[in-house]
Amino acid sequence: QVQLVESGGGLVQAGGSLRLSCAASGSIFSINAMGWYRQAPGKQRELVASINIVGTTLYTDSVKGRFTISRGNAKNTVYLQMNSLKPEDTAVYLCNAIGARGPRYQPEDYWGQGTQVTVSS
């Protein structure tokens, strides 16, 4: 069983910063990529940022220049530094990992429970 545990959400004023953390644990043999998605009420889940095994990053346009994704030394952790937050960034942020349980297993998607980020105007 694989678990992703997020932390770092909360309430912040517009212009403020938050740092989200996610750690993967359990029966995961390798992780190809990790990322953050978000889902606001009444909206579809969207990819915010991702980082793959070689460190290539991808950001949705609305967060470029404000958010930074990085991986920890252990490679099973991922962080999202969010600066210059805006009210439209308000959402539940979910950690995602694409990994395999063993060398003969196909990669699968794993999800955290989500952490609430609320940005007040």
Side-chain angles (χ1 to χ4, degrees):
Q1 188 174 1
V2 177
Q3 288 185 324
L4 300 181
V5 179
E6 304 117 327
S7 61
L11 173 64
V12 65
Q13 287 188 332
S17 299
L18 284 173
R19 187 177 190 241
L20 305 183
S21 301
C22 173
S25 62
S27 305
I28 190 161
F29 175 75
S30 62
I31 297 176
N32 298 342
M34 297 186 77
W36 291 93
Y37 286 70
R38 66 186 179 188
Q39 188 161 19
K43 294 188 177 181
Q44 288 190 330
R45 185 176 296 185
E46 66 168 345
L47 174 66
V48 177
S50 66
I51 185 167
N52 66 13
I53 194 171
V54 296
T56 302
T57 58
L58 178 69
Y59 297 93
T60 192
D61 286 345
S62 62
V63 308
K64 286 179 180 177
R66 300 188 297 123
F67 291 10
T68 303
I69 190 169
S70 60
R71 293 184 73 165
N73 291 332
K75 304 301 181 186
N76 66 333
T77 56
V78 66
Y79 306 100
L80 185 67
Q81 179 66 43
M82 305 185 293
N83 298 329
S84 302
L85 283 160
K86 304 176 181 179
E88 50 263 44
D89 294 318
T90 296
V92 174
Y93 284 70
L94 300 108
C95 180
N96 169 262
I98 301 173
R101 289 177 286 159
R104 298 182 180 182
Y105 287 81
Q106 291 296 317
E108 299 177 66
D109 272 301
Y110 298 97
W111 294 92
Q113 292 296 313
T115 185
Q116 177 70 43
V117 171
T118 303
V119 184
S120 63
S121 57

